Amino acid sequence: MGAEGIQSWFNDAVRLEKSGQSDEAKRLYEKIIQEDSGFYLAYQNLGVIYAKENDHVKATQFFSQAVKIHPDFKNCYNIAVSFFRLKELEKSIHFLKQALKFEKKFVLAHLLLAQIYQINENDEKTEVYLTNVVKIDPNHKTALGGLAMFYYERNRYPESLKMLERYLLLYPGNSQLRLIQSDILAKQGNYKASATLLTEMATHDSGFVSFNQTLEKAWGEEDTLAQESLHRIQGNAKKKLKEFKAKLELSRENPEEFSPPDPQEAMDLSLLYLFNGNPEKAMQYLVFAQKMKENTET
């Protein structure tokens, strides 16, 4: 069959794929490959279909053929994503770096590399690739949120606050990141600004009182880096709050052994209660922290 016939089959397969007739499209793509083993677009589209069906083993097989025939940033990225889904992270890293050789400003490759290096607990490279995205696109939502949480989890509060301010200016309404912003303000000793922000949220933001319920809704799929950080923080908050409540129970039996929290501990407790959907308790400990700080300064 000539090139025109192969192209006609390919066009038909694409139409079938777009109309949701994936099985028919796959059969026609495979027929194209039998006629012309060098027609890389058929391999590429078969890989995409299997990836959508979550069959990443087959997807990598077809993407691999597409890369051999026509190595470009798109095919390298496709196979990298499937290897990532299969948790074959080193292979994913290899192809992502290949993709960046073809297109050094390919944002999706930088983001996925940052995510993989975060999984591998490689802080240096996680920061490098997130920063690369911000250099390419200073207003990139995912990178700004990811860097804000990256810095926060490592107690790099000035850098985290800077990223949070940029994020919330461009993408207002994220109650979870506003809670983090409030916590950082308090950790820096700016209790008044922290209390003002929390009071405003408690009054106007319905998500403020239902953190657990709104966590998933607050983020899109592309915000994986920041969302995973918040899941870790939420998990730690539950654990620490459970420990504090146990300590309170013991204090009723031995009150002489119980010491009240210092300002920073009180601020931490405030955030714990926020993450567990109890704004009243949160405000009590925030006010307590502010008063304790004022007493130590007089």
Side-chain angles (χ1 to χ4, degrees), residues 3-4 12 16 55 73-74 83 86 96 108 137 147 166 173 192 194 226 239 251 267 272 281 286:
E4 287 187 6
D12 289 341
L16 287 167
D55 187 346
F73 77 93
K74 184 176 182 180
F83 276 128
L86 292 169
L96 288 169
L108 291 176
D137 180 0
L147 272 173
R166 287 173 63 179
K192 184 176 181 180
S194 179
K239 181 180 178 181
S251 73
M267 187 58 233
L272 297 183
K281 281 282 188 183
L286 182 64

Side-chain angles (χ1 to χ4, degrees), residues 206-269:
S206 59
F208 173 80
V209 296
S210 54
F211 181 91
N212 295 338
Q213 296 172 15
T214 61
L215 179 61
E216 299 297 337
K217 296 178 183 178
W219 304 95
E221 185 179 348
E222 72 278 8
D223 294 312
T224 303
L225 286 163
Q227 189 178 15
E228 287 177 350
S229 294
L230 281 160
H231 274 298
R232 284 194 296 274
I233 293 168
Q234 185 187 27
N236 290 334
K238 288 180 178 179
K239 181 180 178 181
K240 289 180 180 178
L241 196 55
K242 186 176 180 180
E243 291 171 355
F244 177 71
K245 288 178 178 178
K247 185 179 177 182
L248 280 179
E249 288 295 323
L250 288 173
S251 73
R252 292 171 184 167
E253 299 176 10
N254 302 289
E256 68 282 355
E257 296 181 8
F258 180 75
S259 57
D262 61 27
Q264 185 55 64
E265 289 174 331
M267 187 58 233
D268 289 342
L269 284 167

Side-chain angles (χ1 to χ4, degrees), residues 55-257:
D55 187 346
H56 291 287
V57 172
K58 281 193 175 180
T60 56
Q61 293 170 0
F62 287 109
F63 286 143
S64 179
Q65 290 298 317
V67 168
K68 286 179 183 177
I69 300 167
H70 187 79
D72 65 1
F73 77 93
K74 184 176 182 180
N75 281 320
C76 288
Y77 179 74
N78 283 338
I79 194 170
V81 171
S82 282
F83 276 128
F84 174 74
R85 299 299 182 196
L86 292 169
K87 302 188 186 303
E88 296 189 44
L89 301 185
E90 291 305 316
K91 290 182 180 179
S92 183
I93 288 171
H94 168 77
F95 283 105
L96 288 169
K97 290 185 176 180
Q98 289 295 318
L100 290 177
K101 286 182 180 179
F102 291 110
E103 178 52 69
K104 65 180 181 180
K105 292 186 177 181
F106 187 37
V107 165
L108 291 176
H110 286 285
L111 283 174
L112 187 52
L113 279 166
Q115 188 174 349
I116 291 171
Y117 283 122
Q118 179 170 273
I119 292 168
N120 288 342
E121 299 182 348
N122 187 326
D123 287 359
E124 181 180 357
K125 289 188 177 181
T126 301
E127 183 177 6
V128 164
Y129 284 103
L130 283 175
T131 303
N132 285 347
V133 177
V134 175
K135 288 178 181 176
I136 297 166
D137 180 0
N139 297 335
H140 198 282
K141 180 182 178 184
T142 303
L144 291 174
L147 272 173
M149 296 309 301
F150 174 86
Y151 292 137
Y152 177 80
E153 287 195 280
R154 288 150 187 84
N155 302 327
R156 293 166 62 177
Y157 298 126
E159 294 160 289
S160 179
L161 189 59
K162 181 180 178 181
M163 291 297 161
L164 283 169
E165 289 171 346
R166 287 173 63 179
Y167 182 103
L168 291 169
L169 182 65
L170 293 164
Y171 312 104
N174 189 307
S175 57
Q176 283 71 49
L177 287 190
R178 290 175 73 198
L179 290 180
I180 298 297
Q181 183 183 30
S182 173
D183 182 52
I184 292 174
L185 289 169
K187 281 180 164 63
Q188 292 181 328
N190 196 343
Y191 288 84
K192 184 176 181 180
S194 179
T196 299
L197 180 58
L198 291 182
T199 302
E200 178 187 339
M201 291 175 68
T203 305
H204 300 106
D205 191 346
S206 59
F208 173 80
V209 296
S210 54
F211 181 91
N212 295 338
Q213 296 172 15
T214 61
L215 179 61
E216 299 297 337
K217 296 178 183 178
W219 304 95
E221 185 179 348
E222 72 278 8
D223 294 312
T224 303
L225 286 163
Q227 189 178 15
E228 287 177 350
S229 294
L230 281 160
H231 274 298
R232 284 194 296 274
I233 293 168
Q234 185 187 27
N236 290 334
K238 288 180 178 179
K239 181 180 178 181
K240 289 180 180 178
L241 196 55
K242 186 176 180 180
E243 291 171 355
F244 177 71
K245 288 178 178 178
K247 185 179 177 182
L248 280 179
E249 288 295 323
L250 288 173
S251 73
R252 292 171 184 167
E253 299 176 10
N254 302 289
E256 68 282 355
E257 296 181 8

